[in-house]
Amino acid sequence: MSSTPTSSPTPPPVPHIRPSRRTVLAATAAAGAVTVGPSAAPAASVPAMPTAELVDTPARPATAAEAERPGPRPPATAQEPSRELRALLKEIDADRIEATVRKLVSFGTRHTLSTQDDPDRGIGAARDWILAEMRSYAAGSGGRMTAELQSYVQEPASRIPTATRITNVVATLRGSVTPERVYVVSGHYDSRVTDVMDATSDSPGADDDASGVAVAMELARVMAKRRPASTIVFAAVAGEEQGLYGAAHMASRFKAAGTDVQAMFTNDIVGASRADDGTKDPYTIRLFAEGVPTSETPEQAATRRSVGGENDSPSRQLARFVRDTGDNAATGMHVRVVYRRDRYRRGGDHIPFLEQGYAAARFTEPAEDFAHQHQDVRVEGGKQFGDLPEFCDFDFTARVARVNAAALWTLAQAPAAPRDARILTATLTNSTELTWKRGSEPDLVGYEVVWRETTSPEWTHVIPVGDVTSHEVDLSKDNVFFGVRGVNRAGLRGPVAFPLPQV
């Protein structure tokens, strides 16, 4: 068996062996990621997909930067960033991110219940400045990007004592090939102090969540000049601290319009790399991703209980995709996926999207310092409290922005996750037949079947199968988990679809 990574020069010829339960399982995932050729050669038009032979290759060697960072080796499905993506990532500017955070802090308070008509202080001033900045980015987009306010009046409710206008700032970069596919990235621009109803005290909100807004705005600035295949939405939402109101409004509007939101990321508390004990971890970002879907129906729950899949929700596949594309030397970051919807007693703007049935996940710094969140600005016993810019690490936030950019840009350029992926179960056999619907992307050239042991968190094996809509693997569906992903002409791989049983 060759030990050469598939991204390296062509390895010496190996014997043509039809993959079987014995040969494939002998190439255990414990030895590294594995690529297994199909039993029938793919079409000649798929240069990125190897010919039909059993190729047992370990995961690519770690780069020098990766070797210096703790964390697992790249999964079998990992993708190296393209030249286009590398150029994009280099444009992300820590100084601009710092300037955005400090500007938002300068409005004194951005509490949802604060003044909306003062030009210098309050949430209204912050809203107007964000909109002006987004429109300045859109001006250089050649008409592809638009920026607008998305408002509604929230009647009295939890933490909203009187009818209050809640406004999101939304910039939309329309896709040039598959504009109907939409990807959303957000941060919340409202802030708070110790008393969640205190709308007048200074509430700087540098980390929570000017940092997340700065990420979304920096991505909008960098991507506005480019032509993504699919549509990307950059949002700064309000009402998060009062109860996720702005995000809930945005998600419900997408749902009512029938918008195909394929993924949503919220960046909330991504500004600091120092924990409350003083330790620093400037090269790790947490990504919270739920397992059992929030929107799961009783029928879907019954299927899940019968076949498994608690670790294979659309949000978990999204998290794996972020690891595949954003955990590398180009971003300088390790993505620590956390198998939870959010932290204990906390919730972010991804939750309303989960409630609407969209795949969504939350980025948050590796270890928080609670003295610098949700606190009145004060000094006690010589210790400074308050969410102030001096406690932020803007180089860290820039790296978080690069992880977001790597995932979003690849999602927008690569094929969508295959629709209607199924495992045929009408006949009991020790092999597995998979089917799916072909995507409509004009540059789609084929598919890959991926699989892993049921105890493995990452996909460990990849089987290129060509431009087909079905494939039979000589492995028992009872023993491992399968997935399917698309490949385009540029060699970009989309997210994995987890197949459901079809009798």
Side-chain angles (χ1 to χ4, degrees):
M1 297 294 183
S2 168
S3 60
T4 304
T6 54
S7 59
S8 299
T10 305
V14 296
H16 286 253
I17 307 171
R18 289 181 58 85
S20 68
R21 286 185 292 277
R22 178 172 298 176
T23 58
V24 172
L25 288 176
T28 173
V34 175
T35 300
V36 181
S39 56
S45 61
V46 192
M49 307 175 82
T51 55
E53 56 190 23
L54 183 63
V55 183
D56 182 358
T57 60
R60 64 171 175 81
T63 64
E66 290 169 338
E68 294 175 359
R69 293 185 284 116
R73 298 175 69 183
T77 46
Q79 303 188 54
E80 288 293 326
S82 65
R83 180 180 302 176
E84 176 187 45
L85 177 55
R86 287 180 185 274
L88 186 158
L89 297 179
K90 289 179 181 178
E91 291 184 26
I92 292 173
D93 189 338
D95 291 338
R96 283 183 172 271
I97 286 173
E98 178 177 1
T100 297
V101 170
R102 291 188 181 278
K103 181 64 177 181
L104 290 170
V105 169
S106 76
F107 296 113
T109 179
R110 304 189 307 277
H111 194 282
T112 298
L113 304 177
S114 65
T115 178
Q116 298 198 22
D117 54 10
D118 187 315
D120 301 313
R121 182 178 177 85
I123 195 166
R127 171 201 65 210
D128 295 344
W129 178 80
I130 295 169
L131 177 63
E133 288 294 297
M134 290 293 207
R135 284 180 171 169
S136 73
Y137 308 153
S141 71
R144 293 183 299 277
M145 179 182 279
T146 58
E148 61 183 353
L149 298 180
Q150 183 187 85
S151 298
Y152 81 106
V153 175
Q154 175 61 51
E155 296 300 327
S158 176
R159 297 184 176 183
I160 304 287
T162 60
T164 301
R165 181 166 293 278
I166 293 178
T167 303
N168 302 323
V169 185
V170 180
T172 303
L173 179 59
R174 184 171 173 81
S176 59
V177 181
T178 49
E180 68 280 359
R181 281 168 44 194
V182 176
Y183 301 91
V184 180
V185 60
S186 78
H188 71 86
Y189 71 101
D190 60 306
S191 62
R192 61 165 287 189
V193 289
T194 305
D195 179 0
V196 72
M197 302 305 291
D198 181 350
T200 58
S201 296
D202 278 354
S203 177
D207 190 5
D208 186 12
D209 182 39
S211 66
V213 174
V215 167
M217 292 180 67
E218 182 66 358
L219 296 182
R221 183 188 72 84
V222 170
M223 293 186 182
K225 299 171 287 185
R226 292 175 163 81
R227 293 179 178 272
S230 302
T231 298
I232 306 176
V233 174
F234 312 88
V237 302
E240 193 273 349
E241 301 289 7
Q242 305 310 110
L244 313 181
Y245 288 105
H249 179 66
M250 181 166 57
S252 64
R253 283 188 55 161
F254 279 133
K255 192 69 173 182
T259 305
D260 184 16
V261 177
Q262 299 252 325
M264 183 271 185
F265 299 110
T266 185
N267 288 266
D268 195 351
I269 312 178
V270 293
S273 59
R274 186 184 298 274
D276 53 5
D277 62 359
T279 59
K280 292 191 68 174
D281 187 357
Y283 300 105
T284 299
I285 185 67
R286 287 185 294 174
L287 181 62
F288 286 83
E290 71 173 13
V292 176
T294 294
S295 62
E296 185 179 70
T297 66
E299 293 76 16
Q300 291 168 335
T303 299
R304 174 180 52 78
R305 286 192 295 268
S306 68
V307 301
E310 293 83 359
N311 197 20
D312 282 282
S313 66
S315 294
R316 290 279 165 87
Q317 305 302 349
L318 181 60
R320 291 186 177 103
F321 187 87
V322 175
R323 276 261 295 136
D324 286 347
T325 58
D327 187 318
N328 51 50
T331 66
M333 292 292 273
H334 166 55
V335 179
R336 180 179 182 178
V337 177
V338 182
Y339 288 162
R340 287 196 171 98
R341 187 171 76 168
D342 213 318
R343 298 100 75 234
Y344 280 100
R345 300 178 59 193
R346 312 289 286 277
D349 287 320
H350 60 308
I351 293 176
F353 281 80
L354 294 171
E355 291 170 343
Q356 296 291 352
Y358 296 128
R362 175 198 179 121
F363 286 105
T364 295
E365 61 201 27
E368 301 167 68
D369 187 340
F370 303 105
H372 303 142
Q373 299 175 20
H374 298 182
Q375 293 282 346
D376 293 337
V377 179
R378 67 194 190 280
V379 177
E380 286 186 1
K383 180 179 177 65
Q384 177 70 63
F385 288 81
D387 191 353
L388 299 165
E390 52 259 42
F391 299 115
C392 290
D393 178 345
F394 300 109
D395 289 330
F396 168 78
T397 305
R399 286 191 291 274
V400 174
R402 291 185 186 104
V403 172
N404 277 260
L408 280 166
W409 190 254
T410 311
L411 283 166
Q413 302 294 79
R419 296 187 182 274
D420 203 26
R422 300 286 178 176
I423 288 182
L424 303 188
T425 59
T427 312
L428 295 178
T429 68
N430 282 316
S431 62
T432 302
E433 186 174 358
L434 300 160
T435 67
W436 56 90
K437 290 183 178 178
R438 192 182 190 280
S440 59
E441 296 89 351
D443 61 347
L444 179 68
V445 295
Y447 291 91
E448 294 174 340
V449 170
V450 299
W451 66 270
R452 69 182 199 275
E453 295 289 340
T454 62
T455 53
S456 175
E458 304 280 0
W459 298 111
T460 54
H461 298 68
V462 178
I463 307 172
V465 299
D467 193 359
V468 297
T469 57
S470 65
H471 186 75
E472 185 170 355
V473 185
D474 195 11
L475 287 170
S476 172
K477 53 188 163 290
D478 297 324
N479 295 343
V480 299
F481 284 136
F482 289 96
V484 185
R485 67 177 182 176
V487 185
N488 70 10
R489 192 174 297 115
L492 296 177
R493 274 74 173 166
V496 169
F498 183 71
L500 297 175
Q502 177 173 300
V503 177

